[in-house]
Amino acid sequence: QTQLAESGGASVQPGGSLRLSCTASGYAFGFYAIGWFRQAPGKDREFVGCISASSGGGSTSYADSVKGRFTISRDDAKNTAYLQMNSLKPQDAARYFCASEGPPGDCLLDDNAYDYWGQGTQVTLSS
C-alpha cells in the first residue's frame, strides 16, 4: 500500500527556519517525483516546489514566492524527501502536503498530476 507521511511542522517565528520531511512506503521511491503543496485557511492549495525522480536527474522547481528561501532534496535510501524552509514569512503559514507522481517522475506544477498524497503537516508563524 502506497503511503506518504509528512512530519516536521511546527510553530516558528518569522525569519526562522524549518525542515519538513516526507517519508514514503509501498513503492519504488526513486522512480517518483515528489511535489510539495500548501494550503492556508480559506485559500486554494498552491504549488510550493517539486523534485523529479532520481532516475530523471532529481531536478527541482519552485514557486516564485519561495524561490531562494526554500530548498527541496531527497534521500532515496531513506525513502524521504525534504523541504528546507528558511527566512519564513507570515504568508508561509499553511498546512503543507507532499505528493508523489510517476513513473517517469517528472517535476510537475499541477496538483492533479500527483497520484498519492500525505495527510499534511501544519506550519504556523507566530511572533
Side-chain angles (χ1 to χ4, degrees):
Q1 182 180 359
T2 300
Q3 289 186 326
L4 294 172
E6 303 90 341
S7 62
S11 179
V12 296
Q13 293 184 340
S17 297
L18 205 58
R19 189 178 79 160
L20 306 183
S21 299
C22 171
T23 301
S25 61
Y27 68 99
F29 183 74
F31 291 98
Y32 287 72
I34 295 294
W36 284 96
F37 296 82
R38 65 187 182 187
Q39 187 168 23
K43 295 188 177 182
D44 292 335
R45 185 166 60 193
E46 64 172 346
F47 171 79
V48 174
C50 57
I51 185 166
S52 69
S54 296
S55 54
S59 60
T60 55
S61 180
Y62 300 94
D64 287 343
S65 59
V66 306
K67 201 171 294 184
R69 299 187 298 121
F70 290 12
T71 302
I72 297 173
S73 60
R74 63 189 300 153
D75 184 342
D76 291 350
K78 296 182 178 179
N79 280 6
T80 300
Y82 304 97
L83 175 64
Q84 177 67 44
M85 305 186 293
N86 298 328
S87 302
L88 283 162
K89 302 177 180 180
Q91 54 263 44
D92 294 321
R95 191 165 186 82
Y96 283 71
F97 300 86
C98 65
S100 66
E101 185 278 332
D106 296 324
C107 188
L108 302 174
L109 280 63
D110 183 0
D111 58 356
N112 290 316
Y114 290 83
D115 303 307
Y116 301 101
W117 291 78
Q119 294 300 308
T121 187
Q122 188 68 38
V123 173
T124 304
L125 275 289
S126 60
S127 56

